[in-house]
Amino acid sequence: MLRVAVPNKGSLADEASRMLRDAGYRQRSDNRDLSLTDEANGVQFFYLRPKDIATYVSEGQLHLGITGHDLTEESSASVNEVLELGFGQSQFRYAAPVGNAWSIQDLAGKRIATSFPRLVRANLAQQRIAAKDVIRLDGAVEVSIELEVADAIADVVSTGRTLAQHGLETIGEPILASQAVVVDRNAKFDQQPDPDDILKAKYRFVERLRGVVFARQYVMLDYDCPEAVQEDAVRVTPGVQAPTVAPLSLDGWVAVRAMVRRTRVNDVMDELADLGCTGIVTASLQSCRAVLPGHGGVSSIPGATPPPAEAPSSSDAGTSRLGVGGR
């Protein structure tokens, strides 16, 4: 059975469970549960601290995990990031009291509090800045300056509201940009490779999530189109591969269906209306299989082979063995 780690709390937890449900997996109903077995899909989920997930996966106790890119980097665990999930976006940045007009160079000789000491030390070394101390704290880093534990901080910033509440502002450029990712172990020389059934289960799991990631970027657009402007309309809505065009019972008209980028859908609807199209409607997508395996994410499961199709079809032509992944 495939074993997958999921964040048990924090900013990633709720959205990770929501995405897994959209991909067809059962999820816990009680936040105190530490594990859940989805017998129908052959997956056992473990709810762990996000910062520990990459380590569990690296050591082989778990097959895959959902965590943050920043947490993966801080852990130094031997893992591959195989799919970006499109939520939990944040930046890891330095911050200091408002009004001092600090620059990065002003961190020299200062005490810096953070929950990510490895990333901070590496960044300071890269910029040849010698801080007085890098102080590790597990939470509430923003209050460390008020309590005179530190002179500046380095922390994850999403909206900046928490920094503003504590009279802090960011310094310089972001140290790191982050989002939620799926991680797979980078097998060590003393570890056994995954058996074929686990490789296939990994592939299936990642492709299901990839379908949700892709679906969230698109809507399905349907409209009635005069045949006289069909060619122009299709140029506006080319779809992922090609739009579906079918005749209507009304002579001189066709029905068109295509997937359209969510960020462009209103502009596209305006263009179609200007062409004389009518009955233009949209529908949200929960999931899809609209991308070839190995596309749409950071990388793909190393060595995994797609499960054989029950019946060959033209859509299988692009399916091939997945490539080796890496950060």
Side-chain angles (χ1 to χ4, degrees):
M1 181 171 286
L2 189 69
R3 300 191 304 274
V4 178
V6 183
N8 65 342
K9 59 182 179 180
S11 60
L12 301 179
D14 290 344
E15 189 57 39
S17 289
R18 188 175 299 115
M19 176 169 278
L20 289 167
R21 288 191 182 96
D22 286 347
Y25 296 104
R26 284 184 57 214
Q27 287 297 287
R28 62 181 182 175
S29 56
D30 187 337
N31 288 339
R32 293 172 296 181
D33 292 342
L34 299 180
S35 65
L36 177 143
T37 300
D38 183 349
E39 294 283 358
N41 288 297
V43 181
Q44 188 172 14
F45 294 100
F46 294 85
Y47 299 90
L48 307 171
R49 292 201 313 167
K51 65 169 52 179
D52 295 334
I53 287 175
T55 300
Y56 279 111
V57 173
S58 172
E59 294 301 319
Q61 285 93 351
L62 299 171
H63 298 119
L64 295 171
I66 296 174
T67 187
H69 169 64
D70 52 352
L71 297 169
T72 297
E73 290 292 315
E74 174 65 22
S75 73
S76 72
S78 181
V79 295
N80 297 319
E81 295 179 356
V82 298
L83 182 65
E84 294 175 336
L85 295 177
F87 67 87
Q89 288 91 345
S90 62
Q91 294 181 333
F92 185 51
R93 306 193 65 161
Y94 294 111
V98 172
N100 292 340
W102 283 35
S103 71
I104 291 293
Q105 299 303 319
D106 291 323
L107 294 173
K110 300 297 193 296
R111 300 166 300 165
I112 305 171
T114 184
S115 298
F116 298 79
R118 179 178 176 273
L119 288 179
V120 170
R121 292 191 180 100
N123 182 262
L124 292 173
Q126 183 180 23
Q127 301 194 64
R128 298 183 178 180
I129 296 173
K132 180 178 180 180
D133 194 10
V134 175
I135 303 165
R136 176 170 187 160
L137 298 175
D138 284 335
V141 174
E142 297 87 355
V143 79
S144 64
I145 297 177
E146 183 180 346
L147 296 176
E148 299 183 354
V149 172
D151 304 303
I153 67 169
D155 202 14
V156 175
V157 179
S158 296
T159 64
R161 185 178 62 181
T162 304
L163 291 182
Q165 289 174 344
H166 290 85
L168 305 176
E169 62 183 356
T170 58
I171 304 171
E173 296 299 316
I175 302 169
L176 183 75
S178 183
Q179 65 173 298
V181 295
V182 178
V183 295
D184 179 27
R185 69 170 177 149
N186 185 9
K188 303 174 183 177
F189 69 91
D190 60 342
Q191 289 178 325
Q192 292 295 320
D194 290 323
D196 287 346
D197 62 328
I198 293 299
L199 284 176
K200 290 179 180 179
K202 284 183 176 183
Y203 173 89
R204 180 73 72 195
F205 182 85
V206 171
E207 292 309 310
R208 278 197 184 190
L209 290 187
R210 195 191 309 277
V212 176
V213 172
F214 197 84
R216 289 181 176 184
Q217 300 174 40
Y218 284 81
V219 297
M220 187 65 75
L221 185 71
D222 289 274
Y223 60 94
D224 297 338
C225 175
E227 287 184 337
V229 299
Q230 178 182 330
E231 188 173 329
D232 292 332
V234 167
R235 276 198 292 267
V236 176
T237 59
V240 174
Q241 186 167 351
T244 299
V245 181
L248 288 178
S249 58
L250 181 64
D251 288 343
W253 286 77
V254 294
V256 183
R257 164 173 283 195
M259 291 174 66
V260 176
R261 281 274 183 183
R262 185 176 292 272
T263 54
R264 289 208 64 243
V265 65
N266 287 296
D267 291 335
V268 168
M269 293 173 76
D270 292 340
E271 292 180 51
L272 293 174
D274 290 342
L275 288 173
C277 299
T278 63
I280 307 169
V281 296
T282 65
S284 294
L285 303 173
Q286 177 174 304
S287 186
C288 66
R289 297 294 187 276
V291 287
L292 296 177
H295 293 73
V298 175
S299 59
S300 301
I301 298 291
T305 303
E310 293 182 5
S313 68
S314 59
S315 64
D316 296 326
T319 300
S320 61
R321 190 172 181 85
L322 296 179
V324 174
R327 286 200 293 250

